[in-house]
Amino acid sequence: MSDTLLTDSAAQVFADAEAAARGARSAPAWSASLWARVEEAGFAAALTYGEEGITSADALGIVRTAAAHAAPVPIGETMVAHWLLAEAGLAVPEGPLSFAAGDTLAATEGDGALYVEGRLAAVPYATEAAGLAVVVMVKARPLVVHLRAADYATERGMNLAREPRDDVVVRTAVPPDRFGPAPVGLAGLFAIGATLRSVAMAGALETLLARTLAYAGERVQFGRPIAKFQAVQHSLAQIASETAAARAAADMAAERLTGPDAGTLAAVAKVRAGEAATKAAGLAHQVHGAIGFTEEHALHLYTQRLWAWRDEFGTEAQWALVLGEAALAAGASGYWPMVTALDDAASGAAEA
């Protein structure tokens, strides 16, 4: 399956997802019927399709497409959890999944089992998930643990966009057929989460741009569409440039989810996409005027997701600090080679 077929297929599956994202402010957004279509399409395992010529960037194109339709399902989380379990040689359950870095969990081995205890904060869709793939450290070794829904309790939470972000309380003994060596450590998994959110922000920004262009062409003021006014044209151009920059940075990070450059690429993507989200969402609301803030208008589905995703898996400030430390370590003579090496790393992964 080519990347174009993959994204075209995703566009069909998520075409009416926006309607499912609407609902009462007090209720989490989730669609079981949409998830059934996602499973039928085989998207959950897309990150493990490498042998079929599907790169990680191709696979994350599904996440971008889902975000462009405000789809209320954990497609990115399930793809990463599926990949973690498969890489660890563990059986992968059916149904929606989620993942978490278990740095707040205590994990000890004994009598052939792994004893896991503690609390995870704001895990996406934990209540809806059939299970979690959690990376824990045991004697300095990263292990993937498959927690079934019966292994933990959840406490309901939501982010600004009404997406489920539940606290998880764990106290269980995991048998040996449900834990194994992890393909990434805690920091690596956190970077993958940042890339996931950057790709999603690029998708939401593309819809934000399309909706704002359409509105500016339809809304008439003083006898002509507001898109004819130079000040509005300037705002539209800014949104378009921010969207393009976020998409380019997210695509680079998506090409390489693991390896020595993955963390730096994730940092670039999260900082750039976060900056774009702030500027573009503000400009889009300015162009729409008051109508953009109403529940009836769809703009809020995308701007609230952008604001929420901007802060998940590390803020811009946190990832900017990572980039600053990398630049200082490279030194004056090594800074430019570091920048070009990142481009080469992403290009090499895309061609592999």
Side-chain angles (χ1 to χ4, degrees):
M1 185 182 289
S2 69
D3 59 335
T4 303
L5 284 174
L6 205 60
T7 50
D8 287 350
S9 176
Q12 292 178 17
V13 169
F14 296 117
D16 60 353
E18 187 179 286
R22 294 181 177 275
R25 289 296 308 165
S26 59
W30 154 250
S31 173
S33 59
L34 177 59
W35 181 257
R37 298 206 301 273
V38 169
E39 287 215 317
E40 186 179 358
F43 292 159
L47 274 178
T48 63
Y49 288 163
E51 293 182 357
E52 299 180 29
I54 301 298
T55 68
S56 56
D58 297 336
L60 292 190
I62 299 170
V63 175
R64 188 179 64 252
T65 305
H69 293 84
V73 290
I75 178 59
E77 288 80 1
T78 300
M79 288 167 60
V80 172
H82 196 290
W83 171 75
L84 285 169
L85 296 173
E87 289 290 313
L90 306 178
V92 181
E94 294 184 353
L97 302 171
S98 194
F99 71 92
D103 50 347
T104 57
L105 298 181
T108 55
E109 286 184 283
D111 302 326
L114 185 69
Y115 295 89
V116 182
E117 182 175 1
R119 186 183 187 92
L120 299 167
V123 178
Y125 295 88
T127 299
E128 288 76 17
L132 307 177
V134 180
V135 173
V136 297
M137 298 300 293
V138 179
K139 297 179 180 178
R141 293 178 300 143
L143 296 178
V144 177
V145 183
H146 172 202
L147 295 176
R148 295 174 176 169
D151 293 330
Y152 55 85
T154 61
E155 296 174 6
R156 189 55 115 179
M158 296 186 294
N159 66 11
L160 180 64
R162 295 177 45 245
E163 293 180 306
R165 297 292 185 263
D166 307 323
D167 286 356
V168 172
V169 181
V170 189
R171 186 178 185 184
T172 189
V174 181
D177 63 342
R178 286 201 281 124
F179 65 89
V184 291
L186 297 174
L189 186 60
F190 193 69
I192 289 174
T195 296
L196 209 59
R197 290 294 181 267
S198 300
V199 169
M201 282 194 280
L205 283 165
E206 288 176 345
T207 297
L208 194 77
L209 173 61
R211 297 290 174 87
T212 307
L213 282 170
Y215 182 79
E218 296 166 356
R219 177 79 167 99
V220 175
Q221 191 65 270
F222 303 113
R224 55 179 175 166
I226 61 172
K228 297 292 185 182
F229 293 95
Q230 189 175 30
V232 175
Q233 290 173 351
H234 183 66
S235 295
L236 296 175
Q238 280 187 287
I239 297 172
S241 62
E242 292 296 329
T243 300
R247 171 72 185 269
D251 283 352
M252 283 184 65
E255 293 286 1
R256 187 173 286 276
L257 295 181
T258 59
D261 298 312
T264 310
L265 287 167
V268 172
K270 197 64 164 54
V271 169
R272 193 62 192 88
E275 182 181 347
T278 301
K279 292 180 179 177
L283 289 167
H285 276 290
Q286 286 180 19
V287 173
H288 278 79
I291 190 68
F293 289 95
T294 63
E295 281 290 329
E296 291 77 10
H297 200 282
L299 186 66
H300 69 91
L301 294 174
Y302 301 94
T303 53
Q304 288 181 344
R305 277 167 171 73
L306 286 169
W307 292 326
W309 294 339
R310 185 182 54 187
D311 294 335
E312 293 181 349
F313 291 103
T315 63
E316 293 162 64
Q318 287 175 277
W319 286 110
L321 185 60
V322 171
L323 288 179
E325 290 173 345
L328 287 173
S333 61
Y335 177 74
W336 186 245
M338 181 192 80
V339 172
T340 56
L342 290 174
D343 185 43
D344 291 343
S347 301
E351 294 169 359

